[in-house]
């Protein structure tokens, strides 16, 4: 769809870069017809809320956007068109088809919304999403995002560093890792009806990664609140790692003393490792990671170590 067909030698053949969801799709084949039958019977549509019946932007948000740009993070390429980024989304809670996520994700109820920050901390707390907007320094950053599927984009996020949120709860010295969890609402997100998959989606970082200035909690994109397909109302962005680490629609952040199980690593540990730093030298078992294709333009670029953020994060992995 957005991939421009060419016959250049650098082209990544479609069958080489298979979506993360390829085996999910296969296993979903049977269950899909069951879900379709139930939906047709009106059971699901009858008991779920109507989509999109809330204001697009609250008065509080109107005061925040546009947020000041953090000039520490500049780009080596043009921004991806918003219409492209907002219509090509991995959000398996809603669909394995990137083009369908935008429509299906409108079902997600985004208010009220709370984020629990707990575990090995002195001051565990559940934050209302609007309070987070009021109490944290909101800024805009331009980041690259590299999906493990060998496509990439460059977008402006609005949000705050994860570190400032963690400091509010005072992590204790025993905490070695952070685990984040997405909502579990199978009647808003039909993908979660696939009961054999490890829902809700979880992801994790080491404490050092979470405290790095690059680790960002986004509440907005392109100068306005996140639309649901990008992970409203709040999601992680860790741009030196493959996109699947940047967990969407977060409801819980726990400080723990071990590396947590994560969604993709549980499904397929050989293909999706916990650390998942962007590295052009390490091929995915099913395709090369040496190059990437920008969505929208189809421009092919050499993939950069740490997605170009080595200066900020390479020291975390030295030795
Ligand atoms: N909860 C959740 N978070 C998720 C995903 C998902 O399926 N569920 N997909 C990930 C993947 S594979 C990518 S590439 C990015 C895509 O983010 P975007 O749609 O905002 O570009 O979200 C990540 N976060
Ligand atoms: Mo991805």
């Amino acid at each position: 769809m957005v991939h421009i067909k060419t016959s250049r030698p650098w082209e990544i053949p479609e069958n080489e870069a298979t979506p993360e969801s390829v085996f999910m799709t296969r296993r979903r084949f049977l269950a899909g017809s069951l879900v379709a039958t139930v939906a047709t019977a009106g059971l699901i549509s009858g008991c779920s809320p109507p989509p999109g019946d809330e204001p697009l932007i609250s008065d509080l948000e109107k005061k925040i956007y546009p947020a000041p740009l953090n000039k520490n993070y500049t780009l080596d390429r043009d921004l991806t068109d918003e219409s492209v980024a907002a219509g090509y989304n991995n959000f398996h809670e809603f669909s394995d088809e990137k083009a369908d996520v935008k429509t299906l994700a409108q079902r997600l109820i985004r208010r009220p919304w709370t984020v629990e920050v707990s575990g090995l901390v002195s001051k565990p707390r559940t934050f209302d999403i609007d309070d987070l907007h009021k109490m944290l320094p909101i800024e805009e950053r331009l980041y690259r995002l590299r999906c493990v599927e060998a496509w990439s984009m460059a977008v402006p996020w609005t949000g705050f560093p994860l570190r400032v949120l963690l400091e509010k709860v005072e992590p204790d010295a025993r905490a070695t890792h952070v685990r984040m969890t997405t909502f579990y609402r199978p009647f808003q997100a039909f993908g979660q009806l696939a009961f054999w998959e490890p829902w809700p989606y979880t992801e994790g970082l080491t404490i050092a990664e979470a405290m790095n200035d690059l680790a960002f909690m986004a509440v907005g994109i392109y100068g306005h609140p996140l639309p649901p397909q990008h992970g409203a109302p709040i999601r992680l962005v860790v741009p030196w790692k493959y996109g699947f680490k940047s967990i969407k629609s977060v409801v819980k952040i726990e400080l723990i003393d071990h590396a947590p199980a994560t969604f993709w690593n549980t499904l397929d540990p050989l293909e999706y490792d916990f650390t998942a730093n962007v590295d052009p030298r390490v091929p995915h078992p099913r395709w090369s990671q040496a190059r990437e294709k920008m969505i929208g333009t189809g421009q092919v670029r050499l993939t950069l170590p740490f997605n170009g953020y080595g200066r900020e994060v390479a020291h975390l992995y030295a030795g």
Side-chain angles (χ1 to χ4, degrees):
M1 172 206 81
V2 293
H3 288 268
I4 291 168
K5 298 273 178 207
T6 69
S7 52
R8 308 267 179 89
W10 41 249
E11 187 184 10
I12 302 160
E14 301 233 312
N15 60 349
E16 225 174 90
T18 312
E20 285 138 335
S21 56
V22 67
F23 56 90
M24 293 171 85
T25 311
R26 259 186 250 125
R27 283 191 232 162
R28 274 184 187 186
F29 186 75
L30 279 174
S33 56
L34 172 71
V35 171
T37 309
V38 177
T40 310
L43 289 176
I44 287 174
S45 50
C47 65
S48 36
D53 60 343
E54 59 180 290
L56 281 175
I57 177 159
S58 67
D59 287 342
L60 171 64
E61 289 166 327
K62 273 183 203 147
K63 285 189 211 135
I64 285 167
Y65 294 92
L69 180 68
N70 181 335
K71 298 204 176 67
N72 291 338
Y73 303 107
T74 54
L75 288 176
D76 56 348
R77 59 195 76 180
D78 291 340
L79 284 177
T80 300
D81 280 349
E82 174 165 16
S83 61
V84 173
Y88 189 83
N89 305 95
N90 276 332
F91 202 165
H92 296 283
E93 283 84 342
F94 295 100
S95 177
D96 297 340
E97 292 296 329
K98 292 177 186 40
D100 294 345
V101 168
K102 180 182 182 172
T103 309
L104 290 166
Q106 303 301 322
R107 300 179 65 89
L108 178 64
I109 309 286
R110 283 98 75 193
R111 290 292 190 288
W113 191 279
T114 56
V115 181
E116 175 188 322
V117 190
S118 59
L120 301 172
V121 301
S122 312
K123 297 182 172 167
R125 196 167 149 190
T126 297
F127 298 90
D128 182 81
I129 186 71
D130 293 323
D131 293 339
L132 283 180
H133 281 75
K134 285 178 214 155
M135 59 194 276
L136 297 175
I138 309 272
E139 62 182 36
E140 185 172 61
R141 295 184 181 190
L142 313 181
Y143 276 175
R144 293 174 289 274
L145 187 134
R146 170 62 157 78
C147 177
V148 72
E149 298 163 350
W151 56 263
S152 64
M153 63 181 195
V155 301
W157 301 107
T158 304
F160 53 86
L162 171 59
R163 185 191 62 250
V164 298
L165 176 57
L166 296 182
E167 282 165 356
K168 297 263 181 229
V169 299
E170 298 177 13
D172 56 64
R174 286 170 300 159
T176 60
H177 290 78
V178 171
R179 169 172 51 214
M180 295 200 189
T181 307
T182 296
F183 64 83
Y184 181 64
R185 301 180 185 175
F187 290 96
Q188 289 170 37
F190 298 156
Q192 294 184 327
L193 291 169
F195 56 83
W196 56 93
E197 291 162 4
W199 304 112
Y201 197 105
T202 47
E203 257 307 336
L205 300 170
T206 66
I207 285 286
E209 291 171 334
M211 291 299 198
N212 187 275
D213 191 57
L214 271 181
F216 198 61
M217 296 304 295
V219 294
I221 190 169
Y222 293 102
H224 55 69
L226 288 174
Q229 67 269 30
H230 280 301
I234 183 166
R235 60 94 55 87
L236 176 68
V237 188
V238 277
W240 73 99
K241 293 175 177 288
Y242 290 120
F244 65 87
K245 298 293 291 183
S246 291
I247 180 174
K248 295 177 170 179
S249 304
V250 170
V251 297
K252 201 197 290 184
I253 302 174
E254 293 161 285
L255 288 279
I256 56 180
D257 63 2
H258 55 277
T262 64
F263 182 82
W264 284 108
N265 187 254
T266 302
L267 278 172
D268 202 334
L270 296 179
E271 301 205 353
Y272 310 105
D273 72 307
F274 179 80
T275 302
N277 290 334
V278 175
D279 189 341
R281 295 164 311 178
V282 179
H284 183 278
R286 291 182 280 133
W287 58 84
S288 165
Q289 295 290 28
R291 292 176 176 76
E292 64 199 49
K293 201 181 275 194
M294 296 292 297
I295 58 170
T297 63
Q299 185 197 29
V300 173
R301 305 183 66 106
L302 290 177
T303 292
L304 304 169
F306 300 109
N307 200 23
Y309 297 101
R311 190 172 55 88
E312 289 86 352
V313 297
H315 68 274
L316 297 175
Y317 311 99

